[in-house]
Amino acid sequence: MPLVVWPAALAMWGPGDMSSKHAHHAMHLMLCRTGTLSIRVDSARKDTRAAGVLVGPDVPHALDARGTEVVLLFVEPESHDGLRLRASLTESVRLFDEAARDALLASLPRAGPIPHADIGPWMESTLEALAGPSTTAAPRMHPRVRKLLRHLRADPAPEDTSLEALAEVAGLSSGRLMHAFTESTGVPLRPYLLWLRLQRAAGAIASGRTAGEAAHAAGFSDSAHLTRTFRRMFGTTPSFLQRRSQFVQAQARAPDAS
């Protein structure tokens, strides 16, 4: 089961589930491959059915997508893509009918496995369809930031990710590093590091490691710390991946660190 995980967006597919009211920081697109789901936002008095939904960051909501397979896309709201998506929302959530869902999923098979190579292009086209084409040129990667990205992506993960330690690796002052990092990647340094740790943990869990092993590998203090952070960011727990790992495929947008 391939799982490619780098910030600042993560896509996966698998069986739909039911969740009680919750909120999470990552923007969340859920599309039913067939059929519909039920959603209730905090301000609504009753559930609404739709073929898909885009939920803004930190919006309380409950979902019921049981009985269907779904494609999910999580986007870091402070990233360039996240800011574009947030600007496209006129309300806290955006609902999609069957026709809109079909248009967004047109490049993917409607049933069965989704080829891993199809996920990345689908993410690109979906973000453009939802947020419109980017009006800014692709950022130029600062060579010191490229060096730091290689350091952060090393295996095993670096233990010291304090700003001072990372600035020393990059050979920049702390202030200059934070500015250059955001300019180069489209994601502020701290959200990038959090997503990187979460996605390292997700990859470890999906490959069969326990939550405790995944937490240690990703730099969390213990499995409870990982679970709390996973729930805050994605609205679910690491056990979701453990139960459904054979169905999960994921790929994330990442700046070029080669």
Side-chain angles (χ1 to χ4, degrees):
M1 180 206 63
L3 184 68
V4 182
V5 285
W6 298 115
L10 173 68
M12 63 180 70
W13 64 271
D17 204 352
M18 180 181 181
S19 66
S20 57
K21 187 175 75 172
H22 66 287
H24 45 81
H25 190 54
M27 299 194 73
H28 178 213
L29 173 69
M30 178 182 286
L31 300 172
C32 298
R33 297 178 77 184
T34 59
T36 60
L37 54 80
S38 174
I39 180 170
R40 179 182 295 189
V41 296
D42 195 37
S43 57
R45 295 184 178 181
K46 62 180 182 178
D47 294 351
T48 301
R49 296 209 69 86
V53 61
L54 173 64
V55 183
D58 305 307
V59 174
H61 63 284
L63 288 165
D64 187 352
R66 291 175 296 178
T68 185
E69 280 200 357
V70 297
V71 179
L72 302 103
L73 175 63
F74 294 96
V75 180
E76 164 58 52
E78 277 76 43
S79 68
H80 177 64
D81 291 324
L83 292 173
R84 290 168 56 210
L85 272 182
R86 291 170 71 178
S88 74
L89 280 174
T90 57
E91 299 183 29
S92 58
V93 301
R94 177 179 174 183
L95 301 177
F96 301 93
D97 60 19
E98 286 86 348
R101 180 270 315 280
D102 291 348
L104 290 174
L105 293 179
S107 65
L108 300 180
R110 296 304 297 272
I114 298 177
H116 184 253
D118 291 352
I119 295 291
W122 174 78
M123 291 169 67
E124 298 282 353
S125 63
T126 297
L127 285 166
E128 184 163 324
L130 294 176
S134 177
T135 58
T136 60
R140 177 182 176 274
M141 179 65 64
H142 193 293
R144 301 296 180 88
V145 173
R146 181 178 291 112
K147 176 184 177 183
L148 178 60
L149 288 173
R150 289 196 295 267
H151 172 75
L152 291 173
R153 297 178 185 183
D155 189 18
E159 293 185 5
D160 189 352
T161 57
S162 66
L163 179 58
E164 294 75 14
L166 298 183
E168 184 176 350
V169 170
L172 296 171
S173 69
S174 297
R176 178 58 184 151
L177 171 60
M178 294 178 70
H179 179 75
F181 194 94
T182 303
E183 277 197 336
S184 295
T185 67
V187 192
L189 178 58
R190 284 303 165 197
Y192 183 99
L193 291 173
L194 177 59
W195 272 67
L196 188 58
R197 292 167 65 201
L198 284 166
Q199 293 169 350
R200 278 187 186 273
I205 289 169
S207 66
R209 301 173 73 176
T210 67
E213 291 170 338
H216 177 73
F220 291 92
S221 56
D222 52 31
S223 60
H225 182 203
L226 170 62
T227 297
R228 288 194 303 271
T229 309
F230 214 89
R231 188 184 294 278
R232 179 175 67 84
M233 287 299 296
F234 301 128
T236 188
T237 64
S239 61
F240 176 86
L241 288 183
Q242 288 176 318
R243 295 194 305 269
R244 292 165 173 79
S245 62
Q246 68 268 35
F247 297 100
V248 175
Q249 288 190 359
Q251 184 169 355
R253 291 161 59 91
D256 180 13
S258 59

